[in-house]
């Protein structure tokens, strides 16, 4: 399965196309997720089936895919669940827990997430941001994302919640919903730093009366 995924480059299959092509890319994320978890499961007969360089390349490819996917369909009446952002997030949530997911990759993930949120073409309505939040929460659990890194990342956004552009409003609220879920999940496991608490609450309060 690993050879087929790599040789056919299925993660980036017809990357400029939507619809059926997106299904291939999206569900390839879930296959990579299975491989990543199996590769790091000491009880599995396939434990460490990937060498370190190959595993790192998979991490990098998933990050690159998150930044470059342009089909943000959640559920399709024609195809059912498409969910590319959610499935990629699932794979990255397991990846960031791995020892070889280093700080350079964390920085690249944050940049890729920002790029995705800056170009998404509508409001998330199928829980994509909640699956994406799990990557951040696992990053905090693994001590790879800290409060300073996270706060600076939040400050890097320039969405105007009062913009007359509806798409700008949608993008702002995608970020807002993502931050809200990260906030709740970190708080539930006692990892909500005061600095993170303050900046997230500030972003949540904005636009509350509109």
């Amino acid at each position: 399965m690993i050879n087929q995924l790599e040789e056919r480059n299925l993660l980036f299959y017809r990357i400029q196309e939507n619809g059926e092509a997106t299904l291939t890319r999206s569900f390839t994320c879930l296959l990579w997720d299975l491989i990543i978890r199996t590769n790091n499961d000491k009880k599995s007969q396939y434990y460490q089936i990937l060498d370190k360089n190959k595993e790192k390349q998979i991490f990098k490819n998933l990050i690159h895919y998150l930044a470059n996917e342009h089909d943000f369909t959640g559920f399709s009446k024609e195809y059912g669940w498409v969910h590319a952002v959610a499935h990629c997030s699932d794979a990255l949530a397991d990846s960031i827990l791995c020892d070889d997911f280093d700080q350079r990759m964390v920085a690249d993930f944050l940049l890729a997430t920002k790029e995705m949120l800056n170009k998404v073409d509508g409001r998330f309505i199928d829980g994509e941001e909640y699956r994406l939040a799990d990557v951040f929460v696992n990053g905090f659990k693994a001590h790879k994302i800290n409060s300073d890194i996270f706060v600076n990342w939040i400050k890097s956004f320039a969405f105007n919640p009062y913009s007359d552009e509806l798409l700008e409003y949608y993008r702002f609220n995608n970020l807002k919903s993502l931050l809200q879920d990260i906030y709740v999940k970190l708080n539930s496991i006692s990892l909500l730093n005061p600095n993170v608490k303050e900046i997230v609450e500030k972003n949540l309060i904005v636009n509350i009366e509109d």
Side-chain angles (χ1 to χ4, degrees), residues 1 29-39 94:
M1 184 166 66
C29 290
L30 294 184
L31 290 176
W32 278 128
D33 187 21
L34 172 63
I35 292 165
I36 290 163
R37 284 188 280 112
T38 302
N39 183 66
D94 283 315

Short mmCIF file of all heavy atoms in Angstrom, two decimals, residues 1 29-39 94:
data_model
loop_
_atom_site.label_atom_id
_atom_site.label_comp_id
_atom_site.label_asym_id
_atom_site.label_seq_id
_atom_site.Cartn_x
_atom_site.Cartn_y
_atom_site.Cartn_z
N MET A 1 0.83 -1.20 0.00
CA MET A 1 0.00 0.00 0.00
C MET A 1 0.87 1.26 0.00
O MET A 1 0.57 2.23 -0.71
CB MET A 1 -0.93 0.00 1.21
CG MET A 1 -1.90 1.16 1.24
SD MET A 1 -3.25 0.95 2.42
CE MET A 1 -2.36 1.00 3.97
N CYS A 29 -5.28 10.71 2.51
CA CYS A 29 -4.88 11.22 3.83
C CYS A 29 -5.18 10.20 4.92
O CYS A 29 -4.38 9.99 5.84
CB CYS A 29 -5.60 12.53 4.14
SG CYS A 29 -5.08 13.95 3.16
N LEU A 30 -6.35 9.57 4.83
CA LEU A 30 -6.72 8.59 5.85
C LEU A 30 -5.84 7.35 5.78
O LEU A 30 -5.53 6.74 6.82
CB LEU A 30 -8.19 8.21 5.69
CG LEU A 30 -9.21 9.32 5.96
CD1 LEU A 30 -10.63 8.77 5.86
CD2 LEU A 30 -8.99 9.96 7.33
N LEU A 31 -5.44 6.97 4.58
CA LEU A 31 -4.51 5.84 4.45
C LEU A 31 -3.16 6.17 5.06
O LEU A 31 -2.57 5.36 5.78
CB LEU A 31 -4.35 5.45 2.98
CG LEU A 31 -5.57 4.80 2.33
CD1 LEU A 31 -5.31 4.55 0.85
CD2 LEU A 31 -5.93 3.49 3.02
N TRP A 32 -2.66 7.38 4.80
CA TRP A 32 -1.40 7.80 5.41
C TRP A 32 -1.53 7.87 6.93
O TRP A 32 -0.60 7.52 7.66
CB TRP A 32 -0.93 9.14 4.85
CG TRP A 32 -0.23 9.06 3.53
CD1 TRP A 32 -0.52 9.77 2.40
CD2 TRP A 32 0.89 8.24 3.20
NE1 TRP A 32 0.35 9.43 1.39
CE2 TRP A 32 1.23 8.49 1.85
CE3 TRP A 32 1.65 7.30 3.91
CZ2 TRP A 32 2.29 7.85 1.19
CZ3 TRP A 32 2.70 6.65 3.26
CH2 TRP A 32 3.02 6.92 1.93
N ASP A 33 -2.68 8.29 7.40
CA ASP A 33 -2.91 8.34 8.84
C ASP A 33 -2.80 6.94 9.44
O ASP A 33 -2.16 6.73 10.48
CB ASP A 33 -4.29 8.94 9.13
CG ASP A 33 -4.54 9.18 10.60
OD1 ASP A 33 -3.56 9.27 11.38
OD2 ASP A 33 -5.71 9.29 10.99
N LEU A 34 -3.42 5.96 8.79
CA LEU A 34 -3.33 4.58 9.26
C LEU A 34 -1.89 4.09 9.28
O LEU A 34 -1.44 3.46 10.25
CB LEU A 34 -4.17 3.68 8.34
CG LEU A 34 -4.06 2.17 8.57
CD1 LEU A 34 -4.56 1.79 9.95
CD2 LEU A 34 -4.82 1.42 7.48
N ILE A 35 -1.15 4.41 8.23
CA ILE A 35 0.25 3.99 8.14
C ILE A 35 1.09 4.65 9.22
O ILE A 35 1.93 4.00 9.86
CB ILE A 35 0.80 4.31 6.73
CG1 ILE A 35 0.12 3.41 5.70
CG2 ILE A 35 2.32 4.13 6.69
CD1 ILE A 35 0.32 3.86 4.26
N ILE A 36 0.87 5.93 9.46
CA ILE A 36 1.63 6.66 10.48
C ILE A 36 1.38 6.07 11.86
O ILE A 36 2.30 5.83 12.64
CB ILE A 36 1.26 8.16 10.45
CG1 ILE A 36 1.82 8.81 9.18
CG2 ILE A 36 1.78 8.89 11.70
CD1 ILE A 36 1.18 10.15 8.86
N ARG A 37 0.10 5.82 12.18
CA ARG A 37 -0.23 5.26 13.49
C ARG A 37 0.33 3.85 13.64
O ARG A 37 0.86 3.49 14.69
CB ARG A 37 -1.74 5.26 13.70
CG ARG A 37 -2.30 6.63 14.04
CD ARG A 37 -3.76 6.59 14.44
NE ARG A 37 -4.63 6.51 13.28
CZ ARG A 37 -5.37 5.47 12.96
NH1 ARG A 37 -5.34 4.38 13.72
NH2 ARG A 37 -6.15 5.48 11.90
N THR A 38 0.23 3.05 12.58
CA THR A 38 0.75 1.69 12.63
C THR A 38 2.27 1.69 12.76
O THR A 38 2.84 0.90 13.51
CB THR A 38 0.34 0.93 11.35
OG1 THR A 38 -1.09 0.93 11.24
CG2 THR A 38 0.84 -0.51 11.38
N ASN A 39 2.91 2.58 12.03
CA ASN A 39 4.37 2.67 12.07
C ASN A 39 4.89 3.00 13.46
O ASN A 39 6.02 2.63 13.82
CB ASN A 39 4.83 3.76 11.08
CG ASN A 39 6.33 3.87 11.00
OD1 ASN A 39 7.02 2.98 10.55
ND2 ASN A 39 6.86 5.02 11.45
N ASP A 94 -2.13 12.87 14.24
CA ASP A 94 -1.31 11.74 14.66
C ASP A 94 0.17 11.98 14.36
O ASP A 94 1.04 11.57 15.12
CB ASP A 94 -1.79 10.46 13.96
CG ASP A 94 -3.06 9.90 14.59
OD1 ASP A 94 -3.13 9.85 15.83
OD2 ASP A 94 -3.98 9.53 13.84
#
